[in-house]
Amino acid sequence: MKTILWKELRENARWVPLGIIPMIIVLVLKWRSNELIFDASEYGSSLSLSSLVGLVAGGIAVCLGLIQSWPDQRPAARALLLHRGITADAAFCGKLLAGLLLYATAVFVPLLGMAAFITSVGIEHRAASPGALLPAALISVAAFSCWPASLLIVQRDARFWGSRLLPGLTAALAVFACGATMHEVLWLAITIAVVTLVAFLAAARSVFVNSSHIATGNGRAYIAIAVTVALLTLMMCAMSMIESYRTQVAHSGGEAVSRQYVVEFGPDGRPWLTRTSYTWSSGMNKLDQVAKMVPHRSVRDQLQPVEDSWEPLRKWSPYRHEYYNPKSLLGGRFARLNQATIFLDSNDALNRTWVFDAKRDAVLVYRSEWRTRFRLEAILLPPASVGSFGQVQNPGSVDAAGNFTLVSSTGVYRVPGSGAEVETIYAVPQASSFLGSATISFTTAQALPRGYLIGLMVRLSERVVLLNSGSDADAASRPEALGAFSGLGEVFATEVHLPNELATADRISISRDPTIADSYVGLVEDWGRSDLGGSWFRFDKEGRIEEQDRYEESPVSAVASGNIAAVASIPPAFLAFGVALVAIENRSGNGIREAWEYTKTYPAHTALIVFLGMLQPTIGIPLAFWAARRRRLDKRATRRWICWAFWFGPCGSLALLAVYPRLIREPCNVCQRPARIDLASCEHCGHSLDETPQTGIEIFDQGQGGGSTGGSSTSPDVNVGPSVGYAGKGP
Amino acid sequence: MREDRIAIRTRELTRYFGHNAALRSLTLDVPRGQVTALIGHNGAGKTTLIRLLLGLLPPTRGRAELLGCDSRSLTPEVRARVGYLAEGHFLWGWMKARDAARLQRETFPRWDQHLFDSMLKFFGVASNARVGQISRGQRAGVSLAMTLATDPELLVLDDPSMGLDPVARRALVEGLLAFARRDDRTILVCTHLLDDVERLADRIAIVSHGRLLVDSGLSEFRERVCGWTLDAEFGAQQAAQIPGLIDSRQTRERTHLVVADPDLETEAAIQRISGTARREELTLEDAVLAYLRPAAMVGSISDALEDAR
């Protein structure tokens, strides 16, 4: 291994600067793209640092894989490389180690250099932390899977370009998935990175060691996974594009492109079904039809045009998972790891910018000079009575005086524009868990600047706390004044206990009942985002239910219109994974029970989903059976591939065709029927394929076997080669 | 032959590339301690056979053994006992001669640095010379030195004389003869140079269109292939009457026949065609070319030359 490592390093080290240069360019461009925040695109529209690094690192890995494998594919080079006193495994390890070292030099050295640079600059002029580089480092680890993917592309003796390139596509997809999930579900991103890397390395090793027309059993398994996932991705992308095109065509020419149905509280406090249409020509959403919901009956076909003056009640929707839940599998305590510094807000009039520094648990206040140079003006710590800001959720509202409201898991704070201390507007009691928050920041009736916060709700485990500014007529009579609130006067807090039905639900909406004083109305949305059904409650401040109703609005039409293609394109394995994830996520809640209730409530809808879910296996299993027959797999391998096709549909079956090479046949000398060349005898007549006719000019020593001496020379222990290799192998 | 006296053994070895058979049911034994020349025209399947032997290609069917080990699962120990010189004397261009030595030294336990240095000196290559910048012949010298200095038990050479000048070629042959005399060394050499074969080989194996036609001792081969000269017209009808006819060649008014394993019946058939037919001495080259010559091609070339005149 040492020898190969040395050879690879000597041969390829000269290319490393070509990898370092784009990495440095990306880091420098990102550093210069915003004068204060290092990775400003997290809050903007441009590509984030991790995305850019993922692209560059993936490119470096691909290039490295190609230059380490392509030249050595020449037969003489491969012979010189492999014909020596080491195993092919050791040779592969040498290549891998060299690849890793070169990749690490090209990718991680610039990242480490940047981290050192950020540390040396400090926070005086830059709200940057080396921690911001962690997502880029993680995605770089995932991107290394492009290295074995390149080896697979080069060394696998695939029969067509589609199959040959598929591993590369799968690796790129994995890197993308890792990048897409890391900011919210870090554990999933790490799992994707590790599993992809391990699977691709194993597949590349297998192919490198057994590089041949006929892959070994192990190699097939890894390649089957890679090919199946890639085909699925292609299929789902194609379905999405077709669906998108279909929608675009169907609604072009000024017609409403999409309609959104939402249940709102009407002026009477009851639930109303509202329809908002997006018009392609105007590019605007408009609430155009409403219908008052009737218990246990769909009202979709009773929608009526509505006047412009019709407005739903202002409501708060503090969804449980809207906010980061540290106990959640989909969150995890490292979920916000990359947000070492979080941009909060800025005010041009005051030339101030606020940044939350998670490491210091403080708000940094910068004063900008000429909009390009920043100077740290103050470090605002959380009030001593609270101790910590906890996890920050930024509502993004600055008033004219430069104060803004900071919502975090420990409370609601008024962060002043100057260097004064942070004030606590509301502190979450220690015994309570912060589950989420909701704001009302827009207004049309009041003469207030758009975007100013006029109401905020903090959701705790069994109650909600409404914080309203003094200008809100509804809150004017509230007794508890908590201080200035976004410059809109006094803030009043009202605690409202939730009925158990609301407290345990994920998706709830609450409003004051306009018809009965001191009463509230709440809506619990059913499981599933396409479902408009739910339960409506009227309850008092103590959480006692005064009235309730059940509303149903069948979502079948929504599913039937555009989502059929989407559901039908998801293979059962992914569906099962999704269901398992939801089940685990809701293991402490009532998600499973709700799902079961849903199934009972909408049997037709459930049947449709099951039918669509089974569509893929229905096509895939016969296809796998046919493909297994074509490739002459034995019963055991056929059974495994049928299972594979059940979970992954037709894509799993097609992977079989890609993994196993097409069988080549030649006419048998005796029966003249096409016989497999990889078998020792004709599969039809049993005649030995090695018996070739004598021409009479052959000269062989007495006692020597002779090359074409017919059946007499056939050794009884002749290896029939690949026919054995097809037995008992599956994905 | 005793099992332990066989260095290379193939049984019904077959290899297809797509629908094309590069080798068909090849059964061959290469005895230990002898030099076997593997001869064949371009595309006959020689290099494929060598790659199959070394486990660099998997067979479509059949089996090959090298020093008693299945070629599909050669252990590092067996590989270290086998020296292989690939066609074209491939070396990585960035390497210096001493790098080449380092590459081999650490993976071949019986590495002979002295031999390597001597061969470099013979070919006039400095140890710090970059392989990509030396002449083709010198590169061949480095490549040979890398192979021979591993002190292999079995030496497999794929066209080792390619790119060598006559002096170097002669030195190579002498070197190989000296190598073969040491202990019980076996050489399988694939070459197109028949005078080298005559000087070097104990045995000869001829492959044509993927089939093994000859696997025999060199002297036995020469004894069993005979030539006749006829003064009569000779066509396909006459050819069909002669058993074991390998090749017929027309020169002016004469026809030269090459026949394998002639017996009384063969002689009678020839006499029936021409009563004045007489036996002629065949050189090794004549005998081998008779096996290799694609008659149609020779005919077409000579016809083309005639037309050009």
Side-chain angles (χ1 to χ4, degrees):
Chain A
M1 187 180 88
K2 209 170 68 179
T3 309
I4 305 299
L5 172 65
W6 165 80
K7 176 248 165 193
E8 291 292 323
L9 289 177
R10 280 292 303 270
E11 195 170 14
N12 301 309
R14 60 197 156 139
W15 303 113
V16 168
L18 290 182
I20 292 177
I21 290 167
M23 279 296 293
I24 291 175
I25 289 173
V26 163
L27 293 170
V28 169
L29 283 178
K30 269 293 161 189
W31 178 258
R32 293 173 64 89
S33 66
N34 187 294
E35 300 299 327
L36 182 61
I37 308 290
F38 174 48
D39 190 12
S41 58
E42 296 291 342
Y43 315 98
S45 56
S46 65
L47 281 172
S48 68
L49 174 72
S50 55
S51 306
L52 281 172
V53 168
L55 279 173
V56 173
I60 291 172
V62 167
C63 293
L64 203 53
L66 292 179
I67 61 170
Q68 279 193 265
S69 57
W70 200 292
D72 286 343
Q73 275 308 97
R74 291 168 290 178
R78 190 168 167 80
L80 188 57
L81 181 78
L82 292 179
H83 182 72
R84 53 190 63 252
I86 55 169
T87 58
D89 262 326
F92 176 78
C93 288
K95 271 188 178 286
L96 169 62
L97 200 55
L100 259 175
L101 286 171
L102 296 173
Y103 180 78
T105 310
V107 174
F108 290 105
V109 167
L111 284 176
L112 285 172
M114 193 69 200
F117 178 68
I118 290 171
T119 310
S120 71
V121 169
I123 61 163
E124 284 303 310
H125 300 286
R126 281 277 186 166
S129 159
L133 294 166
L134 281 174
L138 173 62
I139 204 164
S140 299
V141 173
F144 188 66
S145 58
C146 293
W147 183 88
S150 294
L151 260 68
L152 276 174
I153 289 171
V154 172
Q155 292 177 338
R156 221 179 115 232
D157 209 351
R159 293 301 177 101
F160 57 94
W161 273 99
S163 166
R164 186 179 273 263
L165 288 175
L166 282 177
L169 183 68
T170 315
L173 175 75
V175 176
F176 174 78
C178 180
T181 52
M182 70 164 60
H183 297 300
E184 299 303 326
V185 199
L186 187 72
W187 69 267
L188 189 58
I190 292 173
T191 307
I192 290 170
V194 171
V195 169
T196 309
L197 202 53
V198 170
F200 270 96
L201 285 175
R205 187 209 71 85
S206 176
V207 169
F208 182 87
V209 172
N210 308 296
S211 180
S212 69
H213 271 289
I214 300 148
T216 60
N218 285 340
R220 285 194 195 118
Y222 299 119
I223 293 163
I225 294 167
V227 171
T228 304
V229 173
L231 286 171
L232 284 170
T233 311
L234 282 177
M235 187 186 71
M236 285 197 269
C237 288
M239 296 287 255
S240 306
M241 287 172 69
I242 291 167
E243 182 56 29
S244 165
Y245 178 75
R246 194 186 67 79
T247 310
Q248 204 171 335
V249 168
H251 299 288
S252 56
E255 204 182 327
V257 167
S258 63
R259 294 195 171 95
Q260 191 181 8
Y261 296 89
V262 179
V263 177
E264 299 277 9
F265 293 113
D268 57 353
R270 293 278 178 170
W272 285 61
L273 181 66
T274 64
R275 191 185 83 173
T276 307
S277 298
Y278 174 78
T279 313
W280 196 264
S281 52
S282 66
M284 289 178 66
N285 280 308
K286 187 170 182 292
L287 193 154
D288 56 358
Q289 292 193 345
V290 296
K292 188 172 182 180
M293 297 185 85
V294 180
H296 305 288
R297 193 155 62 82
S298 170
V299 295
R300 189 187 294 275
D301 50 1
Q302 294 169 19
L303 286 163
Q304 297 293 323
V306 68
E307 291 177 7
D308 288 346
S309 59
W310 195 95
E311 271 201 63
L313 282 184
R314 292 210 313 263
K315 68 172 183 181
W316 289 268
S317 299
Y319 291 166
R320 183 194 287 265
H321 292 299
E322 194 88 325
Y323 185 71
Y324 156 68
N325 175 8
K327 291 178 182 171
S328 166
L329 273 176
L330 294 175
R333 57 184 156 168
F334 298 113
R336 306 275 168 156
L337 190 66
N338 63 306
Q339 295 189 358
T341 51
I342 302 171
F343 172 80
L344 293 174
D345 217 332
S346 66
N347 186 302
D348 289 344
L350 297 170
N351 288 333
R352 281 205 181 88
T353 301
W354 294 267
V355 176
F356 179 71
D357 187 332
K359 194 177 169 190
R360 290 181 177 80
D361 192 20
V363 175
L364 310 179
V365 184
Y366 286 89
R367 177 177 282 277
S368 57
E369 297 163 359
W370 304 101
R371 296 173 64 93
T372 54
R373 291 176 60 81
F374 288 85
R375 186 168 52 79
L376 184 65
E377 195 175 62
I379 299 177
L380 304 179
L381 298 172
S385 58
V386 178
S388 169
F389 284 120
Q391 298 292 329
V392 163
Q393 188 182 41
N394 179 30
S397 60
V398 178
D399 61 18
N403 303 316
F404 75 88
T405 311
L406 179 70
V407 181
S408 80
S409 59
T410 57
V412 181
Y413 305 94
R414 177 176 170 272
V415 179
S418 62
E421 289 186 354
V422 174
E423 292 176 25
T424 306
I425 296 173
Y426 176 78
V428 173
Q430 296 234 332
S432 301
S433 304
F434 179 92
L435 296 184
S437 68
T439 60
I440 297 178
S441 56
F442 66 91
T443 174
T444 52
Q446 292 94 341
L448 294 168
R450 196 172 180 80
Y452 271 46
L453 194 70
I454 59 170
L456 196 146
M457 176 179 278
V458 175
R459 184 178 175 188
L460 305 177
S461 43
E462 288 180 5
R463 63 188 189 280
V464 291
V465 180
L466 275 78
L467 302 170
N468 278 76
S469 69
S471 62
D472 186 338
D474 291 337
S477 59
R478 303 298 160 206
E480 298 169 65
L482 291 173
F485 188 62
S486 291
L488 298 177
E490 297 298 298
V491 171
F492 300 92
T494 308
E495 282 205 0
V496 180
H497 286 266
L498 295 174
N500 191 44
E501 286 82 349
L502 271 85
T504 56
D506 287 342
R507 293 161 63 87
I508 61 171
S509 295
I510 297 166
S511 185
R512 289 198 177 86
D513 190 332
T515 57
I516 303 172
D518 289 331
S519 279
Y520 296 85
V521 285
L523 196 69
V524 176
E525 295 175 37
D526 276 350
W527 179 83
R529 283 182 181 271
S530 59
D531 193 339
L532 298 173
S535 302
W536 174 86
F537 301 88
R538 175 183 286 129
F539 56 97
D540 65 10
K541 202 174 165 184
E542 300 305 320
R544 287 186 291 265
I545 295 174
E546 296 166 348
E547 191 182 350
Q548 64 176 334
D549 264 319
R550 169 83 197 160
Y551 296 94
E552 287 167 9
E553 190 58 51
S554 169
V556 170
S557 59
V559 172
S561 62
N563 298 337
I564 280 185
V567 176
S569 69
I570 301 172
F574 287 14
L575 277 177
F577 177 74
V579 169
L581 204 61
V582 170
I584 294 169
E585 184 67 5
N586 291 288
R587 65 195 185 283
S588 56
N590 49 11
I592 296 172
R593 185 181 58 77
E594 284 177 4
W596 174 241
E597 290 296 325
Y598 176 88
T599 305
K600 283 196 298 185
T601 313
Y602 303 111
H605 188 193
T606 307
L608 180 64
I609 290 176
V610 171
F611 169 73
L612 292 175
M614 294 311 291
L615 207 58
Q616 292 223 15
T618 309
I619 301 168
I621 289 173
L623 188 60
F625 189 72
W626 171 81
R629 296 257 308 186
R630 289 282 299 173
R631 295 294 191 259
R632 298 275 170 174
L633 302 194
D634 67 6
K635 283 183 182 172
R636 193 171 159 214
T638 305
R639 275 199 299 271
R640 287 185 182 185
W641 275 102
I642 284 173
C643 285
W644 188 254
F646 173 81
W647 289 109
F648 294 101
C651 294
S653 312
L654 290 176
L656 188 158
L657 294 173
V659 169
Y660 291 85
R662 193 161 55 90
L663 294 173
I664 296 172
R665 291 181 165 83
E666 276 204 338
C668 168
N669 288 335
V670 177
C671 68
Q672 297 303 317
R673 292 166 71 185
R676 281 173 59 176
I677 58 164
D678 56 319
L679 297 179
S681 55
C682 173
E683 62 214 275
H684 309 293
C685 65
H687 191 265
S688 171
L689 295 179
D690 292 320
E691 290 178 20
T692 48
Q694 295 283 301
T695 58
I697 63 170
E698 292 83 357
I699 295 179
F700 298 116
D701 276 352
Q702 294 301 317
Q704 294 280 80
S708 305
T709 51
S712 59
S713 68
T714 307
S715 169
D717 58 349
V718 165
N719 189 309
V720 292
S723 61
V724 177
Y726 277 38
K729 305 293 184 190
Chain B
M1 196 180 296
R2 277 170 49 193
E3 290 286 319
D4 60 347
R5 296 301 305 158
I6 295 173
I8 296 172
R9 167 183 292 232
T10 72
R11 288 292 175 270
E12 312 295 0
L13 194 63
T14 302
R15 172 70 199 198
Y16 277 75
F17 291 103
H19 283 277
N20 302 321
L23 275 187
R24 284 178 187 273
S25 305
L26 193 138
T27 295
L28 168 75
D29 285 339
V30 174
R32 280 180 191 263
Q34 294 192 19
V35 179
T36 302
L38 183 63
I39 298 169
H41 53 78
N42 292 328
K46 305 183 299 293
T47 301
T48 300
L49 171 62
I50 287 175
R51 288 185 191 151
L52 286 166
L53 290 176
L54 292 164
L56 299 170
L57 270 180
T60 304
R61 62 173 187 261
R63 193 171 71 180
E65 283 178 10
L66 213 63
L67 300 177
C69 184
D70 191 313
S71 64
R72 284 177 303 182
S73 51
L74 291 179
T75 61
E77 292 72 30
V78 173
R79 284 195 184 278
R81 288 160 58 199
V82 180
Y84 171 48
L85 179 73
E87 189 179 20
H89 304 289
F90 175 82
L91 285 172
W92 290 290
W94 56 267
M95 271 187 171
K96 291 177 178 173
R98 61 165 178 259
D99 294 333
R102 178 178 173 179
L103 187 73
Q104 299 292 83
R105 189 170 52 229
E106 292 178 6
T107 47
F108 287 94
R110 297 198 295 188
W111 176 254
D112 186 343
Q113 186 65 40
H114 178 69
L115 177 61
F116 182 79
D117 292 339
S118 307
M119 289 190 72
L120 282 195
K121 199 173 171 185
F122 176 81
F123 284 100
V125 181
S127 66
N128 62 349
R130 200 173 291 278
V131 168
Q133 293 170 352
I134 57 179
S135 73
R136 189 173 163 183
Q138 286 177 315
R139 197 163 68 243
V142 177
S143 186
L144 275 168
M146 282 174 73
T147 309
L148 293 179
T150 58
D151 193 20
E153 215 171 289
L154 168 64
L155 192 55
V156 180
L157 306 169
D158 195 351
D159 210 353
S161 310
M162 183 190 278
L164 297 185
D165 60 36
V167 177
R169 246 179 67 197
R170 174 62 66 90
L172 170 70
V173 171
E174 286 170 0
L176 291 178
L177 281 171
F179 173 84
R181 278 196 290 270
R182 287 165 60 188
D183 305 329
D184 202 13
R185 307 302 170 98
T186 310
I187 300 177
L188 176 68
V189 57
C190 168
T191 181
H192 295 291
L193 302 173
L194 297 176
D195 47 346
D196 284 357
V197 172
E198 205 157 14
R199 216 174 291 138
L200 185 65
D202 303 308
R203 299 181 59 78
I204 185 169
I206 299 177
V207 183
S208 177
H209 298 102
R211 292 184 60 215
L212 186 68
L213 298 180
V214 175
D215 177 19
S216 153
L218 196 59
S219 52
E220 189 184 350
F221 172 71
R222 297 180 71 162
E223 283 167 15
R224 291 173 64 178
V225 180
C226 300
W228 268 270
T229 306
L230 280 69
D231 294 329
E233 285 288 314
F234 193 83
Q237 198 181 350
Q238 286 82 7
Q241 296 169 16
I242 304 173
L245 179 68
I246 303 168
D247 184 38
S248 66
R249 188 161 50 93
Q250 200 82 33
T251 55
R252 300 187 180 222
E253 289 109 28
R254 287 183 181 165
T255 303
H256 302 272
L257 303 182
V258 182
V259 181
D261 286 331
D263 53 14
L264 292 174
E265 190 190 337
T266 311
E267 278 196 47
I270 293 171
Q271 291 300 330
R272 277 198 296 276
I273 294 167
S274 170
T276 58
R278 59 191 177 277
R279 241 179 138 135
E280 68 174 354
E281 278 295 310
L282 284 181
T283 62
L284 176 68
E285 188 174 343
D286 290 333
V288 171
L289 286 182
Y291 274 96
L292 302 185
R293 189 187 352 255
M297 194 182 85
V298 172
S300 61
I301 291 172
S302 45
D303 290 347
L305 288 172
E306 284 296 324
D307 291 345
R309 283 195 198 108

